[in-house]
């Protein structure tokens, strides 16, 4: 047995760095290259690895200490001769190991493509590595990022590193995917609206001194500065805003355990998540003291806290269809993939009930036809759906629990009236939303609906066109059918489905009279709404369509 002092190696451009995490304790057995402590400067965090295998005898640093090259981190008891042979193969620890340092690397190198164009983000000098694999994307197109915010994680056989953004901006495009291999200089992302931080900062290497400074293209800092444009305001609440603060090794550890890091509370400096935090979170979940959000979503709070068994379904049948006849395969459209996943969740999570009813729209249809004749030249066709949107607003005002969303064990009651309508498009179903329908007239609603339906068919709806809905209407009236069960568009709690109206004989007290009858199918969330309220909602909604003057009462 021999004792070896493990020292801080050459950590590049830093005088003194703070110890922010101890990754081992006295008595631990460590392998060569295993990380011992994490240090952090104002530019980067790094893990200091062990140059030898052995057992930790004494730790010489504590969290909060400042260390620099040559500081003794700990004393290791190594197997006889190993110390000698290790030091025979390589210089003293202080001089070795830079290649094994796990580090958050300098901000990716920005390259301006044009004065007004997006900023090209390239892989900076990440040290002695070639062909490192992208293992995690930490942002997605549309995300607003801050300077130094990590964009993605790469991993070689020795280290995992997070590549930070060189500037604030909006991620316009990601040029890499998980599994891709990257090298210094590779284009990884385009940032729009980017304003580059002080060029000196992006050019300063935060890697071991043995690695050359980031090979920024000659024009980079100056050109980057010249593209500085208005930086989009940082939007709290966007997914990137809450990116968990953790070192690469803690991220790796959490990934290995399947722990959702964004749900772990960090106890380290500046809220940094430590390995202990991840362990404690895991313990809490295992003992039932805590629940992950994914588990909570499977068993919503109002169902009693998630003690239910899983669905325990049979596997999906795997059939070789070609055995039975010719087939062709087609990818699902992007909209179908997204809406399918949402519909599936809503159907499985929400206890749906559907009440069917009828509305006599004889007079309303006559009025609508007359209106359209009068306004033939206006170019706006008043639709039955516009009247239904107005009737829905009145019904939501009368029955506020229909204009609500569940948030855990609370009901969020809305004082605004945004009504979505299902639109059938060649690529699938979308639900554009008429905002503030309570403040708009029938003609304006008809006009907006026709514009939104047109945009939907052309695939030009913006996300904002489909957000904020309180209640939805799905009309199959132009197509056919009698009744159906619409799926609630979560987090809304009810949806009105309408089918094709038809003339039916109705008893008026003395005789049968031909009336135009509209079939209604109201699906509602039984966690929020009761059957009696749903029946009342339908009766009221139908009464408004039967005599639209009631809407003014
Ligand atoms: N009963 C009888 N006829 C009706 C009707 C009803 N309930 N609703 C509409 N119609 C008539 C219209 O008057 C129109 O007739 P004219 O051309 O003679 O004037 C015709 O049907 C076509 O109407 P439309 O469908 O173009 O207009 P709309 O306002 O009724 O609907 C929109 C617009 C965007 C909702 C519709 O085009 C659409 O996409 N519907 C499908 C929604 C859907 O897919 N729902 C299912 C969701 S669950 O998978």
């Amino acid at each position: 047995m021999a004792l070896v002092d493990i020292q801080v190696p050459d950590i590049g451009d830093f005088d003194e760095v703070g110890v922010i995490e101890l990754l081992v304790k006295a008595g631990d057995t460590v392998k060569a290259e295993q990380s011992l402590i994490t240090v952090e400067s104002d530019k980067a965090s790094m893990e200091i690895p062990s140059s030898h295998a052995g057992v930790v005898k004494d730790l010489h640093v504590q969290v909060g200490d400042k260390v620099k090259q040559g500081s003794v981190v700990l004393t290791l008891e190594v197997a006889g001769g190993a110390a000698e042979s290790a030091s025979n193969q390589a210089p003293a620890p202080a001089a070795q190991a830079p290649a094994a340092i796990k580090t958050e690397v300098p901000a990716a190198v920005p390259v301006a493509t044009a004065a007004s164009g997006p900023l090209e983000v390239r892989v900076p000098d990440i040290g002695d590595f070639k062909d490192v694999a992208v293992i995690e994307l930490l942002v997605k197109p549309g995300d607003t990022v801050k300077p130094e915010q990590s964009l993605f994680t790469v991993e070689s056989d020795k280290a995992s590193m997070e590549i930070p953004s060189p500037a604030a901006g909006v991620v316009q495009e990601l040029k890499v995917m998980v599994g891709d291999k990257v090298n210094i200089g590779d284009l990884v992302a385009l940032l729009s609206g980017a304003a580059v931080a002080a060029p000196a900062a992006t050019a300063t290497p935060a890697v071991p001194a043995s690695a050359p400074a980031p090979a920024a293209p000659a024009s980079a800092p100056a050109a980057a500065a010249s593209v500085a444009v208005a930086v989009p305001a940082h939007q709290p609440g966007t997914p990137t805003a809450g990116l968990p603060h953790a070192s690469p090794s803690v991220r790796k550890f959490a990934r290995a355990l399947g722990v959702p890091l964004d749900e772990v509370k960090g106890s380290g400096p500046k809220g940094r998540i430590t390995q202990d935090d991840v362990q404690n979170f895991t313990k809490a979940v295992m003992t039932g003291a805590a629940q992950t959000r994914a588990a909570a979503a499977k068993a919503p709070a109002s169902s009693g806290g998630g003690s239910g068994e899983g669905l325990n379904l049979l596997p999906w049948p795997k059939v070789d269809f070609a055995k039975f006849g010719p087939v062709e395969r087609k990818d699902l459209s992007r909209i179908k993939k997204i809406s399918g996943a949402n519909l599936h969740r809503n159907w499985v999570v929400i206890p749906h009930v559907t009440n069917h009813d009828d509305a006599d729209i004889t007079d309303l249809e006559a009025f609508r036809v007359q209106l359209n004749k009068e306004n033939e030249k206006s170019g706006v066709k008043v639709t039955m759906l516009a009247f239904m949107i107005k009737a829905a607003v009145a019904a939501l005002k009368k029955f506020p629990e229909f204009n609500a969303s569940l948030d855990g064990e609370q009901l969020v009651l809305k004082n605004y009236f945004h009504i979505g309508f299902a639109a059938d498009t060649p690529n699938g179903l979308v639900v554009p939303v008429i905002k503030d329908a309570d403040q708009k007239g029938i003609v304006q609603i008809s006009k907006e609906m026709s514009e939104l339906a047109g945009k939907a068919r052309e695939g030009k709806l913006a996300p904002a066109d489909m957000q904020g809905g309180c209640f939805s209407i799905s009309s199959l009236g132009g197509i056919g059918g009698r009744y159906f069960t619409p799926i609630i568009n979560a987090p809304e709690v009810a949806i009105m489905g309408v089918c094709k109206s038809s003339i039916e004989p109705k008893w008026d007290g003395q005789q049968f009279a031909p009336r135009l009858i509209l079939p209604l199918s109201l699906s509602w969330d039984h966690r929020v709404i009761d059957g009696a309220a749903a029946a009342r909602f339908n009766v009221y909604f139908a009464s408004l369509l039967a005599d639209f003057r009631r809407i003014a009462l």
Side-chain angles (χ1 to χ4, degrees), residues 368 381 383 385 421-424 429 449 453 457 474-479 484 499-501 518:
R368 187 184 78 85
K381 185 173 141 193
T383 64
L385 198 47
F421 65 97
D424 182 31
L429 176 71
M449 245 171 41
R457 279 191 289 271
S474 176
S475 171
L476 294 173
I479 304 168
F484 69 115
C499 282
K500 195 175 179 67
S501 55
L518 178 74

Side-chain angles (χ1 to χ4, degrees), residues 41-272:
S41 73
D42 55 340
K43 295 204 191 80
S45 67
M46 288 159 267
E47 291 173 12
I48 308 289
S50 179
S51 52
H52 295 75
V55 177
V56 178
K57 191 95 179 81
D58 279 314
L59 261 173
H60 300 298
V61 291
Q62 288 180 12
V63 170
D65 285 356
K66 297 276 185 200
V67 294
K68 56 186 178 187
Q69 180 178 353
S71 301
V72 176
V73 175
L74 53 79
T75 304
L76 206 61
E77 198 169 55
V78 300
E84 222 174 286
S85 62
S87 51
N88 283 346
Q89 289 161 7
Q96 69 172 167
I101 287 180
K102 295 179 184 176
T103 172
E104 285 176 8
V105 299
V109 180
V111 182
T113 48
S116 59
L119 192 71
E120 287 186 352
V121 180
R122 292 180 181 275
V123 176
D125 186 339
I126 45 178
D128 218 354
F129 304 113
K130 262 197 164 163
D131 284 332
V132 289
V134 175
I135 57 162
E136 200 181 8
L137 299 178
L138 304 169
V139 295
K140 57 181 181 335
D143 283 354
T144 301
V145 295
K146 294 191 262 189
E148 300 297 329
Q149 180 176 333
S150 298
L151 301 176
F152 57 93
T153 312
V154 294
E155 193 173 57
S156 72
D157 54 347
K158 296 211 190 77
S160 61
M161 289 159 269
E162 290 174 12
I163 309 286
S165 175
V170 175
V171 179
Q172 183 178 315
E173 201 183 336
L174 281 177
K175 298 282 192 186
V176 288
M177 283 161 55
V178 169
D180 284 355
K181 301 270 186 195
V182 294
N183 284 294
I184 177 171
D186 285 353
L187 178 63
V188 287
L190 293 178
L191 275 192
S192 59
V196 180
T202 56
T204 303
V207 287
S210 61
S219 61
S226 73
V227 295
V229 291
V231 183
H234 174 65
Q235 296 166 357
T238 55
T240 51
L243 192 71
H245 183 34
S247 68
S249 68
V250 170
R251 284 181 191 288
K252 196 172 174 186
F253 182 56
R255 248 193 330 272
L257 294 178
V259 169
L261 256 195
D262 58 344
E263 293 180 48
V264 179
K265 202 166 162 14
S267 64
K270 297 184 212 152
R272 176 182 284 275

Side-chain angles (χ1 to χ4, degrees), residues 364-433:
L364 189 57
E365 176 62 4
F367 176 55
R368 187 184 78 85
V369 170
Q370 185 197 330
L371 257 183
N372 280 336
K373 252 193 213 144
E374 286 169 12
N375 298 320
E376 223 163 355
K377 288 192 189 117
S378 72
V380 181
K381 185 173 141 193
V382 171
T383 64
M384 186 50 74
L385 198 47
F387 286 102
M388 290 189 250
I389 287 177
K390 250 349 222 184
V393 168
L396 293 180
K397 284 185 177 168
K398 193 170 170 75
F399 302 98
E401 77 264 35
F402 284 74
N403 191 12
S405 286
L406 260 183
D407 185 11
E409 292 185 342
Q410 281 197 322
L411 201 57
V412 180
L413 293 150
K414 295 160 202 168
N415 293 324
Y416 53 87
F417 300 87
H418 304 333
I419 311 293
F421 65 97
D424 182 31
T425 80
N427 286 323
L429 176 71
V430 288
V431 186
V433 174

Side-chain angles (χ1 to χ4, degrees), residues 268-445:
K270 297 184 212 152
R272 176 182 284 275
I273 299 166
T274 64
Q275 188 151 336
D276 276 351
D277 295 330
V278 175
Q279 262 162 353
N280 290 339
F281 180 87
T282 311
K283 256 186 227 159
V285 169
M286 295 308 288
T287 56
Q291 205 182 14
T292 59
R293 263 184 238 137
K298 278 188 198 145
S302 47
S303 72
S307 58
E309 298 286 317
L311 287 178
N312 203 17
L313 300 173
L314 287 175
W316 194 255
K318 201 128 185 68
V319 177
D320 178 9
F321 299 102
K323 257 188 7 196
F324 304 104
V327 293
E328 58 181 283
R329 283 184 177 267
K330 203 170 128 189
D331 286 334
L332 284 178
S333 72
R334 198 180 62 85
I335 290 182
K336 274 236 160 75
K337 282 188 216 157
I338 297 169
S339 64
N342 278 285
L343 289 164
H344 187 193
R345 179 204 52 212
N346 300 350
W347 183 247
V348 169
V349 171
I350 302 174
H352 281 69
V353 185
T354 306
N355 278 36
H356 303 289
D357 210 330
D358 292 326
D360 182 337
I361 58 164
T362 316
D363 298 339
L364 189 57
E365 176 62 4
F367 176 55
R368 187 184 78 85
V369 170
Q370 185 197 330
L371 257 183
N372 280 336
K373 252 193 213 144
E374 286 169 12
N375 298 320
E376 223 163 355
K377 288 192 189 117
S378 72
V380 181
K381 185 173 141 193
V382 171
T383 64
M384 186 50 74
L385 198 47
F387 286 102
M388 290 189 250
I389 287 177
K390 250 349 222 184
V393 168
L396 293 180
K397 284 185 177 168
K398 193 170 170 75
F399 302 98
E401 77 264 35
F402 284 74
N403 191 12
S405 286
L406 260 183
D407 185 11
E409 292 185 342
Q410 281 197 322
L411 201 57
V412 180
L413 293 150
K414 295 160 202 168
N415 293 324
Y416 53 87
F417 300 87
H418 304 333
I419 311 293
F421 65 97
D424 182 31
T425 80
N427 286 323
L429 176 71
V430 288
V431 186
V433 174
I434 303 280
K435 304 272 161 51
D436 299 312
D438 57 320
Q439 295 162 34
K440 293 175 182 167
I442 299 285
V443 177
Q444 191 181 347
I445 291 175

